[in-house]
Amino acid sequence: MDKVNIAELSEEQISFQLILHSGSARSKVIQALTEYRNENAEGADELLKQAKQDLRAAHDIHFQMVKKEAEGTPTSLSLLLMHAEDHLMSTVTMKDLVQELLELFKSRKL
């Protein structure tokens, strides 16, 4: 996955990149549960791995934003950016929860 350079993007494009990557991760997390329910633990693990890569891309964009602001360039707070941040954080929470659930399910399987 190519690294996104936020210096080349508008504020709206940055928000949409966050939504894109976190949305992709969210879909993969949900698919992982489905795969596990269909007795495909390896497929579930692969989807969680891919979701982590998507989240890594989103976190990189987020880090660039924080760094830019720390260097003195203020970030314009828009409803779109708030939505993107909420989307990212809820996906991270969902990924952590699903990952723990799958580990619990695997440990109780006989």
Side-chain angles (χ1 to χ4, degrees):
M1 193 173 300
D2 292 332
K3 182 176 177 174
V4 174
N5 182 355
I6 67 167
E8 301 169 356
L9 302 176
S10 69
E11 290 178 11
E12 291 83 12
Q13 289 171 321
I14 292 169
S15 294
F16 282 121
Q17 284 291 311
L18 286 172
I19 293 167
L20 168 81
H21 291 295
S22 63
S24 180
R26 180 183 299 242
S27 294
K28 290 171 183 165
V29 167
I30 292 169
Q31 287 175 334
L33 272 177
T34 302
E35 287 299 314
Y36 190 83
R37 188 177 62 234
N38 292 330
E39 300 181 8
N40 183 4
E42 289 179 14
D45 290 342
E46 178 59 29
L47 284 162
L48 282 179
K49 181 179 171 184
Q50 292 173 16
K52 288 177 187 178
Q53 292 171 341
D54 289 322
L55 285 172
R56 208 170 291 126
H59 278 296
D60 181 63
I61 292 166
H62 190 257
F63 176 76
Q64 289 179 64
M65 293 170 63
V66 171
K67 182 179 176 200
K68 185 177 172 184
E69 189 164 296
E71 291 170 346
T73 305
T75 301
S76 174
L77 187 60
S78 68
L79 184 57
L80 182 60
L81 179 57
M82 288 189 331
H83 174 69
E85 291 284 323
D86 181 54
H87 204 281
L88 174 59
M89 297 315 299
S90 65
T91 300
V92 169
T93 301
M94 180 185 282
K95 188 264 308 166
D96 291 344
L97 179 60
V98 167
Q99 189 171 345
E100 289 301 316
L101 284 172
L102 291 182
E103 289 302 316
L104 178 65
F105 297 158
K106 289 174 188 177
S107 71
R108 295 183 182 235
K109 204 167 196 181
L110 302 175

